Amino acid sequence: MADTGSAPEYKKYQTYALNVDPDQDDKATEIKLCNFSRPHMRAFHCSWWSFFIAFFIWFAITPLLSEIKITLGLNKQQLWTSSITGVAGTIFMRFLLGPQCDKYGARVLFTVVLCIASIPTALTGLIESSAGLAILRLFIGIAGGSFVMCQYWSSRMFTKEVVGTANALVGGWGNLGGGVTQLVMGSLLFPLFKTGMSAEMAWRTVSIVPAIVAFSTGITVYFISDDSPKGNYSDLKKHGNMPEVSAAASFRSGAMNFNTWILFIQYACCFGVELTMNNAAALYFREEFNQSTEAAAAIASIFGWMNLFARGVGGFASDKMSARMGMRGRLIVQTVLLACEGAMVLIFANTSNLAGAIVVMIVFSIFVQAAEGSTYGIVPYVNPPCTGSIAGIVGAGGNSGAVGFGLAFRQLARYKDAFIVMGCVILASAGLSAFIFIKGHASLLCGSDDPNIIGKGALSVPEPDAEEEEA
């Protein structure tokens, strides 16, 4: 038989525990939450857990800020400066990590980011000034870049029919770390440490615990998981089944797509809001409703706990509407969730009693996180070969939104005014869905889906010839 010149296909696994679609690069067509088998579900669970730990250390310091404020004699502006730097540094990391996912895969990058971010987390107790606090949080913010790997990894493992739900679940359960850290650090570990030492010594030493967990997680994930259904990227390249990917070319293609930047803005108005609430909620309930540090942290944690299901609901709704109406269904879900979120923020801003504020915050949180899930139900379709870069750019939008909203909280005298600004901006972003036009797919108001495009997967390993044409 004549040699065709193509490399024989390499597969690390010949059989899978889940049903897969060979036409979509052996991605799983189903999600079995209680299954931990390699490669699909092992990657699923490693993805959300790694991001959960990253989120935990990223915001581990926030429930301690009221104590740090007393020890270092800081004012409101100095605290918010540190919170802004904590999310601003992640913007660069998300831009950087997106193209690297296309090149190296998510597994290796998760290990690098978690191990590096654990170092400044362990050094929290050494800060002595507002500048030191801001610089420390800037470097801890490296952990926030891991969201890109979280979304990329699940997009590599699951087919277009379930990718919205998969992305939403791993993202939501990972984001849950923001709520759990409020509760564990502020209401459990800090009081526990304080029983045997002063309050100052307690906040200076307690962050060592999450730092150790983060470093251990980074190392473990590297050895127990896979980059893609067919194996690790290094092995696929070695066997000639995957070309070398240019990170710069991937980023350029993603950044030149107008839809990427609309989703950037919309994600700023959902994930950016969540990050802002992670920084603001404990301080808000302590100052506006005279709660103790422990009580305020417990209340603030409720916002993050909604990630247990809310982001998954957004992704699931996006997948279901897509099955019925194609891309237009996903865009309808996106628009409705953002509009409801904006309305709830305005209601929250005008709620003056504690019980009412907590109830409204819960509903507000559900819409915030559902909108995050619906956003990443759209991302894998924008330009499939550049999904890593696009996920990074859109993810950076969340941090950019947190910087913008953080500046509003820093500069405006009343929390109410900052929340009103936030709500109005979110409502405006909902209307941007009308300007999303993805090639081969219907828009919100016109067009129809091309069945030839719809039949293709959302993300797969690029073929060598296709890669050369892109270049």
Side-chain angles (χ1 to χ4, degrees), residues 51 54-55 57-58 85-94 96-97 109-110 112-121 135-149 399:
F51 185 44
F55 221 108
I57 63 173
W58 190 11
T85 59
V87 295
T90 307
I91 297 174
F92 170 74
M93 289 302 299
R94 292 192 175 190
L96 175 67
L97 291 169
L109 296 177
F110 255 133
V112 172
V113 168
L114 284 173
C115 290
I116 291 176
S118 67
I119 298 172
T121 302
I135 293 171
L136 179 87
R137 297 195 69 186
L138 176 68
F139 284 103
I140 294 176
I142 291 172
S146 61
F147 171 75
V148 180
M149 290 87 81
N399 295 81

Side-chain angles (χ1 to χ4, degrees), residues 330-379:
R330 293 190 187 273
L331 295 174
I332 289 173
V333 171
Q334 177 85 340
T335 304
V336 170
L337 291 175
L338 284 169
C340 292
E341 175 196 338
M344 293 309 301
V345 174
L346 295 177
I347 295 172
F348 181 74
N350 290 280
T351 304
S352 57
N353 66 84
L354 179 61
I358 293 173
V359 171
V360 174
M361 183 185 72
I362 291 172
V363 180
F364 156 36
S365 176
I366 290 172
F367 283 115
V368 168
Q369 289 144 21
E372 295 167 7
S374 66
T375 301
Y376 273 84
I378 299 170
V379 164

Side-chain angles (χ1 to χ4, degrees), residues 19 32 96 149 162 203 219 224 256 440:
N19 293 321
K32 294 183 177 180
L96 175 67
M149 290 87 81
V162 296
W203 73 254
I219 298 299
I224 68 169
M256 293 297 289

Side-chain angles (χ1 to χ4, degrees), residues 167-243:
N167 280 352
L169 286 172
V170 295
W173 291 357
N175 282 2
L176 186 61
V180 174
T181 196
Q182 298 277 354
L183 192 62
V184 172
M185 295 297 290
S187 301
L188 180 62
L189 288 180
F190 175 67
L192 181 64
F193 274 55
K194 198 166 61 171
T195 58
M197 59 187 76
S198 66
E200 178 181 350
M201 185 57 66
W203 73 254
R204 287 187 182 277
T205 56
V206 71
S207 290
I208 294 174
V209 176
I212 293 173
V213 174
F215 190 89
S216 302
T217 296
I219 298 299
T220 302
V221 164
Y222 180 83
F223 290 104
I224 68 169
S225 57
D226 307 283
D227 294 333
S228 73
K230 294 181 180 179
N232 293 328
Y233 280 11
S234 58
D235 293 327
L236 291 171
K237 292 173 183 177
K238 185 187 304 180
H239 288 84
N241 297 124
M242 179 181 178

Side-chain angles (χ1 to χ4, degrees), residues 20 40 43 139 161 163 176 197 229 276 285 287 307 323 331 352 364 371 375-376 392 426 448-449:
V20 302
H40 303 93
F139 284 103
E161 290 82 6
V163 69
L176 186 61
M197 59 187 76
T276 303
F285 282 103
E287 295 177 14
N307 273 300
L331 295 174
S352 57
F364 156 36
T375 301
Y376 273 84
I426 296 168
S448 60
D449 292 311

